[in-house]
Structures are given as structure tokens and as C-alpha cells.
Amino acid sequence: MNVNGIQQYNIQKSNNLVKKAFQTDNTFEKMVLFREALELNQYNSNALLQLGLYELGHNYNKGFILLEKAFESSSFPKIPLNTPQAKILTGLIARYYIENKIYDKAHVFLQTSLSCCSQIPHLAQQIQLTTLITGYPKSIIDAQDIISNFHKRIDLLLQQDSLDVSYIQDKDPYIFCMINMFYVEIYHEADIKNIMHKFYTLAVKAFPHLHYRSSYIENISNLRELKNIYRELPKESGIHKYNIGIASAFFSENTSVLADFQGVIDRLPENRYNITYIYFNETGNPSSYLTKKKHVLIYNKNDNNWLEKARKDIEHLNLDLLLYLDSTMSSFCQRMLMSKVARVQAVSHGHPVTSGIRKDIVDYYVSWGAAELDYDKAQSHYTEKLLLLPNDRMHQYYNNRVSNGISLINNQKYDSFTREDFSNDIPKSGHWYLCMQKSFKRHPEFDFIVKDIMVKDPEARIILHNGANQSINKIILDRYKQLNIDLDRIHLIEAQPHHKLMALYVLSDIILDSYYAGGCTTTREALEVGGLVVTLPTNYLGGRWSLAYYKIMGVMDLVAHSKEEYVDIAVDLGKSRDKRLMMKDKILENVNKLFYKQEAVDAWDKILEKMILNFYKTDT
């Protein structure tokens, strides 16, 4: 029998095993037969489908891999797409790939699900496709198309009389439908305020229960009396304290949000504030930080009716102010923000974009003047009323991250490393240009900056934080291939333990601030060890942190005003050891201005009180 004959024989035998499997009621025996069928014909779609469905309850990832393969063009017999089962399964596969940040496949299966002819509604997939703003556009044109398609799709949805998603059988229909808007921060060429407001409008239209306003807020019979108490009592009296809540989804250890705000909130005067910490623990990470706090509310991802419970609990606190440290990074915070449960509600820059929520629900966005444009331009980026911390001083109380060659994050030495220690990933030779911001922060516009650096410095090696998976890395490398960049001088590396990251900052010649979305914690860490961070400020807050730090330090040499100047500054220093040493000394002489600043605590104290008193000054 020839090879073709053997293949046909195996295919027929595989089909017979599938038929036999369908005839037995014994689940174990069924699965054995389906596996045997796949050994004979790996493209047997019926066997793939049945095994995939079985594995979903045992090995989640394996189940979806099998289901995806069942729908591939090489599998046979072809699974008919005009069935409810096909619609449901392709939709589930799409959602799986969204969760795993494999966006190409997610798009394919979403489109497949939407094209399936069945009586099952497809609104969930429409909303998913609309809100799927990836952090990894394939080109500048693709980035523009992503934003353009978002507007087209969401406008069509918002034009509908109603959006009924009650048919969705999922433990959390909101998460199933509404894709997190975290990545919108990289699209600085877009109107982010408009995008976020449309997202909010879609959310409350599809899920009307999210819009909520506590009845007690309307009861203001004692406001004038309270106003007089608040305004006339000396701050240090301690007779009356402001009752505030501080909410976040990132009160667990080693998160950027806690690292950013902890210094200030730990130092707010106890005689002025009763603070309740509200932790939306969507990730399941415990918080040893909160075990030291007196008043804590925690809502876990597996809590039934967490939203209703949180509303009632927070209402009972009778808060003067509820401050959210972050908004779009957590679906819990994002949803809770849509409820008015405190007299004044504000959000801050744990994620540097507006919530998009109506101003009568989220009153204020607290930002830093040093990192914002002129006030009127900056205000146009927010649906909330923008309040600015002073632009001539630090906005947060930061501790050092290193001391005497040791990382204070993991207590390991970093100053004994040499380039040899990184030779498995990066050749020792050449000039090292390092960018360790997360890969999504590197917009395709940044690729042209990288290319020009490599052209002007033939010895340049570009060291970049890799993507979360191979699919993302392929997008990154394909973008460089399109620009004919020498991939032998591009080095994608894993996230490093903190001490090794600090070593990289020391060993690299230049630190490249990502563009459009720049660094915050990464910039401070690099500056602390004398790293030369070259930055190009953008119009939005997320691309202006490094500029703000340099303003406070009084060192503006590494702040570019154009892409061309960014390249020139980086290459000029990259090629000259003497210039680098001089600039490093200048940075180390001034970087202490970023740390241990009580003035930041005082500024927050003042702005918290301002938000509260603004409410009591208003006759309602």
C-alpha cells in the first residue's frame, strides 16, 4: 500500500473510532476512542471538538487548543458555521485568546463568530470586537485603524435603542463583554477623553445597573452647619476629622500604584483624617500592607454580588471623599467608579487617563502640574474637573529603591554585575541603548526613533523588554523587519529581578524613555543610579513623567523637543564616554530632589481638603 493509501486507511479508521465513541455512554471510553482517532488522523474535527469540550473542564488551555484546531481549514469534516454550537464555540475561543493577549487569533474568531448564522444573539461579540483595543498595533496605520474602527463600531452600538445582554450565560457578563481599556493610554494621537467617555456610555447602556447614586448624598440638611465646622476649626485641633476612603485594586505588594502612593497616604495627618482602605482584590493577591491598617474593606473576585455589597458598605461610611488611586486597570474599580457613593469622588494617576465617567459621578481627577500641559489644554483630556498638585515640587513621597549597591526591593547586590553576566541575551560589545518599559508602551512611532539611532550609531545595540508571549514578540519583530532594521542588534529580554534590572541601568550607555507612553517608576530607578534617560514629552500625562522629574531636578539636557532631537541627544551621548560621565555626575548630584519630600504630603493634604470644602461651599 502506498503512502496515500495508508493515509486514507488511517482517516477511515479514525472516522470509525469516532462513530464508535458516539455510540457508547461511558465517558472514559469515549475519550479513549477520540484520542485513538486523533492518533490516526490529527485533523479529525469531530474528535478534536469532543476532546476539546471534555478538556475544558480538566485542562483549560489544552481544551481551547483542541477546539481551535477543530475549526482550522485543514481539519475535516468541516464544522458547519450556521449552527448555535459553532457560534458559541468560536466566541469562547475568541475570548480565550483575548485573555491571553493573542490578538490576531482573537480577531479571527470574533469575526467568525459574528458571521455564524444562528438564532443566538451576537451582541456580546460585537461589544468585544468594539472594545478590543490592543496594545500592539502592527504599524502606525494599524494604530490609526484600531482607533477609527473603535469609533465606527461603538457609534453603531450606541445608536441602538437598547443593548440587551441578558442572554449571556457567564458568571460575570461584564467582563465577558467589555474588554479592559488599559491599552488606550498608548494612543496619544487619539482623543482619549472621547474614547473613554464612549466606553463608559456603552457600559451603562449595556449594563444599566452600573449607574447608581446613593440616596443619602441628596440628604444635605446639615451641610451649612458641617461647612462651618470644617472651615472654622483649626487644622491641628483634631476635634473633627475628615472621613475619607482610599480605593484601589493594587494594594498588594510590588505594584506600581502602591509604590507610587504609599509614601503620601501613610503620612497623611492622623488628627485630620479617618481613612478607610477599600481593596478591590480582582487578582486574588493578598495584601500584607493592609493588615497594618485599622479600617479596611476587601472585595474579592469570587465574592457574589460584590458590587451591591461594596455600595452598601461604602454608603454606611458616610464619606466626605472617596479617592480612587486607579481606574481603568481593574474592571472592579472601573465599575465601582460608576456609582456615586460618597459626597465627593475623585480619581488619580495610578493609571494616567481619564475615567470617562460623568462629572456628577466622578468629580475630580488629581494630577501633577509638573507633568501636565497648560491647564486649559490639560483639562481637555479629562471628563472630571482637573486639580493639579503644585508644578514646582514633588507630587509623591518616594523612598530610595537602592542603597550602597543593594536593591531595597529584593535586598540583593546589583553593583558587582558586568556585561558578561548578561551575555546569554546581549553581546558585550557596542553601545547599549536600554528600554525596559513594558513592550506595549512602545508605539510604532517609537520604531522609527530606534531605526534612526541604529543608523546614526552603527555600534548601537537596542535592548528592549520583550512581549508577554511569542505572538506579541512576532508583532514587535515584524514591525522592525518592515523598517529593514538589523535584527541582530535588537535584543528582546525578559523582565529582570530588581537587582539585575538596576545592574542593567548601570551597565547601559543610554536609557530610552518609551514613546508615546513613557516611564514613571522606571525613570526614577534609572536616574537613581545615574542612568541617562532620554525622553520626548507627549501631550498626555502618560508621556510626561520623565519631563516632570527632570524639571524638579533642574536637569533638562536629556529632554528632547522632537524625534530628531531625541535621536541626536541619545546618539551624541551614546558615542561619547566622556559626555556620559559628565551627565551622569549631573544627574547623581540632583536626583536626591525626588526623594523624601514632605512637601508632597502637604500638597496632598491641601488638595484633599480643597475637594471636600468645595462640596460644602456649594448650595444644593
Side-chain angles (χ1 to χ4, degrees):
M1 187 182 294
N2 59 31
V3 173
N4 189 52
I6 292 173
Q7 288 177 339
Q8 291 300 318
Y9 173 79
N10 287 340
I11 289 172
Q12 184 58 49
K13 190 173 180 181
S14 176
N15 290 337
N16 290 337
L17 288 170
V18 168
K19 289 179 182 179
K20 185 177 179 181
F22 281 128
Q23 292 170 355
T24 179
D25 294 328
N26 186 298
T27 301
F28 177 78
E29 185 179 346
K30 275 181 183 290
M31 296 307 122
V32 170
L33 290 170
F34 285 134
R35 290 189 181 97
E36 290 178 357
L38 280 184
E39 289 176 3
L40 292 167
N41 175 19
Q42 63 177 316
Y43 301 108
N44 189 318
S45 60
N46 286 321
L48 289 165
L49 198 62
Q50 296 303 317
L51 270 177
L53 290 170
Y54 173 78
E55 289 291 355
L56 287 182
H58 299 80
N59 187 326
Y60 189 73
N61 292 325
K62 183 178 179 181
F64 277 107
I65 290 170
L66 291 168
L67 289 177
E68 179 199 358
K69 193 172 181 180
F71 284 93
E72 288 180 358
S73 58
S74 54
S75 296
F76 190 84
K78 298 298 180 192
I79 297 175
L81 297 180
N82 60 343
T83 65
Q85 184 187 44
K87 188 174 196 66
I88 292 170
L89 288 177
T90 52
L92 289 174
I93 295 168
R95 196 65 183 83
Y96 169 79
Y97 282 120
I98 291 169
E99 292 172 1
N100 287 276
K101 299 182 174 63
I102 303 177
Y103 299 110
D104 283 354
K105 290 186 176 182
H107 272 284
V108 169
F109 279 99
L110 276 176
Q111 297 284 12
T112 301
S113 183
L114 287 168
S115 68
C116 289
C117 298
S118 79
Q119 296 179 344
I120 296 178
H122 52 247
L123 183 56
Q125 282 71 42
Q126 284 182 303
I127 295 175
Q128 287 175 13
L129 189 61
T130 297
T131 56
L132 181 55
I133 295 184
T134 168
Y136 303 93
K138 296 178 181 178
S139 64
I140 292 173
I141 293 175
D142 186 38
Q144 295 168 348
D145 288 344
I146 287 170
I147 298 302
S148 175
N149 288 330
F150 168 83
H151 286 296
K152 290 175 184 175
R153 290 169 179 149
I154 201 166
D155 288 346
L156 287 173
L157 287 171
L158 293 177
Q159 288 169 14
Q160 296 184 31
D161 292 335
S162 64
L163 299 175
D164 184 4
V165 295
S166 61
Y167 71 93
I168 297 171
Q169 300 297 312
D170 189 89
K171 63 181 181 180
D172 194 333
Y174 178 91
I175 289 182
F176 184 80
C177 292
M178 305 288 292
I179 309 305
N180 193 300
M181 295 297 283
F182 175 77
Y183 290 123
V184 76
E185 75 157 299
I186 74 164
Y187 292 90
H188 287 202
E189 73 275 37
D191 183 346
I192 295 178
K193 172 185 173 182
N194 189 22
I195 291 171
M196 292 302 300
H197 184 63
K198 285 184 177 181
F199 179 88
Y200 160 70
T201 306
L202 176 64
V204 294
K205 186 165 188 173
F207 302 92
H209 71 281
L210 293 176
H211 179 67
Y212 177 84
R213 188 177 179 87
S214 297
S215 59
Y216 94 91
I217 293 174
E218 311 298 339
N219 183 5
I220 56 170
S221 59
N222 295 321
L223 282 187
R224 287 190 176 88
E225 181 181 350
L226 285 171
K227 180 184 73 171
N228 291 332
I229 292 173
Y230 284 159
R231 294 184 67 186
E232 295 174 6
L233 285 175
K235 289 183 179 181
E236 66 276 7
S237 70
I239 297 173
H240 184 87
K241 292 185 178 182
Y242 297 130
N243 197 22
I244 69 173
I246 299 178
S248 176
F250 296 93
F251 278 129
S252 56
E253 284 60 44
N254 297 323
T255 62
S256 59
V257 175
L258 183 58
D260 210 35
F261 287 90
Q262 180 178 348
V264 163
I265 60 180
D266 282 352
R267 290 170 175 79
L268 290 174
E270 292 184 1
N271 68 327
R272 305 244 300 132
Y273 298 100
N274 285 318
I275 301 177
T276 299
Y277 296 85
I278 303 162
Y279 181 24
F280 296 105
N281 188 10
E282 195 170 4
T283 61
N285 294 324
S287 173
S288 62
Y289 171 73
L290 291 181
T291 60
K292 305 168 187 174
K293 304 300 180 183
K294 292 180 182 179
H295 307 293
V296 177
L297 297 175
I298 299 177
Y299 303 96
N300 294 302
K301 61 179 180 177
N302 295 323
D303 289 345
N304 292 327
N305 302 318
W306 68 268
L307 181 59
E308 291 78 5
K309 188 174 187 302
R311 284 169 173 168
K312 291 179 181 178
D313 291 345
I314 296 171
E315 284 173 356
H316 290 156
L317 294 175
N318 195 27
L319 295 177
D320 296 307
L321 169 68
L322 175 55
L323 173 67
Y324 290 83
L325 305 183
D326 46 274
S327 57
T328 57
M329 296 166 68
S330 155
S331 78
F332 274 33
C333 273
Q334 197 167 59
R335 282 178 276 180
M336 190 64 210
L337 265 167
M338 300 177 195
S339 298
K340 187 77 167 183
V341 292
R343 293 190 179 93
V344 181
Q345 295 191 165
V347 65
S348 195
H349 52 73
H351 197 223
V353 296
T354 179
S355 69
I357 298 171
R358 285 170 23 189
K359 193 181 295 185
D360 63 321
I361 299 172
V362 182
D363 304 88
Y364 298 105
Y365 190 101
V366 181
S367 186
W368 183 21
E372 291 280 7
L373 295 170
D374 292 341
Y375 184 83
D376 288 343
K377 291 180 180 177
Q379 175 63 79
S380 70
H381 296 162
Y382 301 93
T383 54
E384 309 86 356
K385 170 72 173 175
L386 180 63
L387 292 181
L388 296 177
L389 295 157
N391 63 7
D392 60 349
R393 65 197 70 174
M394 283 300 293
H395 67 309
Q396 299 285 27
Y397 186 102
Y398 291 121
N399 298 320
N400 287 111
R401 310 277 283 184
V402 298
S403 178
N404 297 319
I406 296 175
S407 160
L408 298 179
I409 305 304
N410 62 10
N411 297 314
Q412 296 192 52
K413 285 181 63 64
Y414 68 85
D415 61 352
S416 59
F417 282 88
T418 68
R419 287 191 174 187
E420 182 68 39
D421 294 300
F422 296 93
S423 59
N424 287 338
D425 297 309
I426 315 161
K428 295 182 293 182
S429 61
H431 303 138
W432 284 15
Y433 295 78
L434 176 70
C435 181
M436 284 302 284
Q437 264 81 265
K438 293 290 180 67
S439 55
F440 74 86
K441 288 193 172 187
R442 304 192 301 265
H443 189 279
E445 288 278 5
F446 187 65
D447 301 344
F448 289 88
I449 292 175
V450 168
K451 178 180 180 179
D452 289 345
I453 288 172
M454 295 176 72
V455 168
K456 290 195 172 186
D457 184 356
E459 296 183 51
R461 295 196 176 278
I462 309 296
I463 305 163
L464 305 171
H465 195 312
N466 66 359
N469 56 52
Q470 290 304 310
S471 175
I472 292 173
N473 285 337
K474 184 178 186 304
I475 291 172
I476 294 169
L477 294 175
D478 283 349
R479 286 187 349 204
Y480 291 141
K481 287 178 183 177
Q482 292 171 15
L483 299 180
N484 295 315
I485 288 176
D486 180 5
L487 296 185
D488 288 339
R489 293 196 285 147
I490 298 286
H491 309 282
L492 302 183
I493 64 172
E494 299 279 349
Q496 301 291 304
H498 191 259
H499 66 295
K500 293 190 71 173
L501 176 61
M502 302 310 293
L504 271 176
Y505 288 143
V506 172
L507 296 171
S508 296
D509 299 298
I510 299 295
I511 314 299
L512 302 176
D513 198 16
S514 50
Y515 185 84
Y516 293 120
C520 180
T521 302
T522 47
T523 293
R524 290 198 318 276
E525 290 183 335
L527 294 174
E528 194 173 349
V529 294
L532 311 186
V533 181
V534 181
T535 189
L536 174 58
T538 68
N539 287 334
Y540 280 98
L541 176 63
R544 301 177 65 83
W545 295 116
S546 299
L547 165 68
Y549 292 138
Y550 278 134
K551 283 181 181 178
I552 300 301
M553 290 169 59
V555 178
M556 301 298 288
D557 310 62
L558 303 181
V559 179
H561 298 88
S562 67
K563 296 171 192 172
E564 293 76 17
E565 188 179 10
Y566 183 110
V567 172
D568 289 342
I569 292 172
V571 171
D572 184 48
L573 287 167
K575 286 182 171 182
S576 173
R577 183 175 181 275
D578 290 342
K579 289 181 179 179
R580 290 199 302 273
L581 290 175
M582 290 176 61
M583 183 55 60
K584 181 173 183 176
D585 287 343
K586 191 172 184 179
I587 287 172
L588 290 175
E589 286 172 5
N590 290 280
V591 73
N592 64 297
K593 297 174 184 178
L594 306 182
F595 301 100
Y596 305 105
K597 295 299 179 181
Q598 176 62 33
E599 62 192 22
V601 182
D602 298 338
W604 270 101
D605 182 15
K606 185 175 180 179
I607 212 165
L608 292 175
E609 182 175 52
K610 179 178 181 179
M611 288 188 283
I612 295 169
L613 292 185
N614 280 350
F615 176 83
Y616 291 111
K617 289 175 184 176
T618 304
D619 291 328
T620 305

